[in-house]
Amino acid sequence: MMTTRMRAVPVAMWDFDHCDPRRCSGKKLARQGLIQDLRVGQRFRGVVVSPKGTQPVSPADRDIVAQHGLAVVECSWARLDEVPFNKIASPNERLLPYLVATNPVNYGKPWRLNCVEALAAAFYITGYDSYAERLLSGFGWGHSFYEVNKHLLDKYKTCEDAKAVSAMQEEILAELDKSYDESRRNTGESPVRSPDTNTSAHAHTE
């Protein structure tokens, strides 16, 4: 069950036990009573952060999150082929736009968010900052996620809908590519560059 502070918005996950339970961010949230486990095949009417989504999460999803909640798939990036995404049912599957992981396993890597980072990102973008902060507060490194991604999250939060978020992401990636090329020309050193332009939304072991 959720704690009193978080009870208004359901938070859930499909957990495929790919992760070391001692390091898994989803399992840690479950131990804290902040997330509900879903069975494979169980329908979830809220927003589901999933690579099978056809559009990114956006501020337009705020009412769906308020009414039905937010869920994520807790699995390993290395074992995506084992996940039966066809049995994870939601009418509101969403991708996450470009963000940078700050969890200990994938610190500094674009796209490679773990479970709690994916949930927090979706909460931030839909305007539920306090929910994001509550989830991240249980992790010693949690504060760094917002610090590293604040400039990106603030841009996505200004968008009206998924189309605008996609356009904003393209602007961000274009700026990163430009900065990368300029840095290579001027100093021979490069900032973090996205390995591709595919939106992503998975959980990974913490």
Side-chain angles (χ1 to χ4, degrees):
M1 296 296 291
M2 308 299 290
T3 64
T4 300
R5 181 180 175 186
M6 297 289 290
R7 193 180 300 276
V9 175
V11 181
M13 67 175 175
W14 286 272
D15 185 3
F16 289 92
D17 293 319
H18 290 176
C19 310
D20 181 343
R22 296 168 298 178
R23 303 174 64 193
C24 175
S25 65
K27 283 182 169 60
K28 184 169 183 177
L29 291 176
R31 290 194 298 271
Q32 296 171 339
L34 297 176
I35 198 166
Q36 171 192 358
D37 280 317
L38 298 172
R39 300 183 309 276
V40 174
Q42 183 175 351
R43 189 172 179 81
F44 186 81
R45 297 178 63 194
V47 168
V48 175
V49 180
S50 167
K52 298 302 181 181
T54 58
Q55 63 186 46
V57 65
S58 77
D61 293 315
R62 181 177 173 86
D63 288 345
I64 298 174
V65 172
Q67 294 175 23
H68 304 296
L70 178 66
V72 72
V73 179
E74 174 60 283
C75 64
S76 170
W77 280 100
R79 299 172 63 181
L80 297 184
D81 292 344
E82 301 175 22
V83 179
F85 286 106
N86 61 318
K87 295 183 179 179
I88 297 174
S90 171
N92 302 301
E93 294 183 0
R94 298 288 187 269
L95 300 163
L96 286 179
Y98 176 86
L99 292 164
V100 178
T102 64
N103 65 77
V105 172
N106 288 310
Y107 186 88
K109 295 182 180 180
W111 315 110
R112 292 298 191 261
L113 277 59
N114 68 7
C115 177
V116 68
E117 288 174 314
L119 290 167
F123 273 133
Y124 277 128
I125 292 170
T126 54
Y128 291 101
D129 292 23
S130 63
Y131 285 74
E133 291 162 4
R134 177 66 184 90
L135 295 179
L136 291 169
S137 67
F139 299 82
W141 51 266
H143 63 92
S144 64
F145 179 73
Y146 183 72
E147 293 170 359
V148 168
N149 290 287
K150 181 180 185 302
H151 64 297
L152 299 172
L153 293 167
D154 285 348
K155 289 182 178 181
Y156 297 138
K157 289 171 75 168
T158 66
C159 298
E160 182 177 354
D161 53 25
K163 183 177 180 180
V165 170
S166 294
M168 180 63 72
Q169 176 183 249
E170 292 307 309
E171 289 182 19
I172 290 168
L173 292 174
E175 290 172 2
L176 287 172
D177 281 341
K178 180 179 179 181
S179 176
Y180 176 87
D181 292 338
E182 289 177 352
S183 179
R184 289 189 65 186
R185 286 197 301 270
N186 296 335
T187 67
E189 298 180 358
S190 303
V192 174
R193 187 182 191 182
S194 168
D196 56 48
T197 58
N198 293 323
T199 50
S200 182
H202 265 293
H204 193 293
T205 181
E206 180 187 333

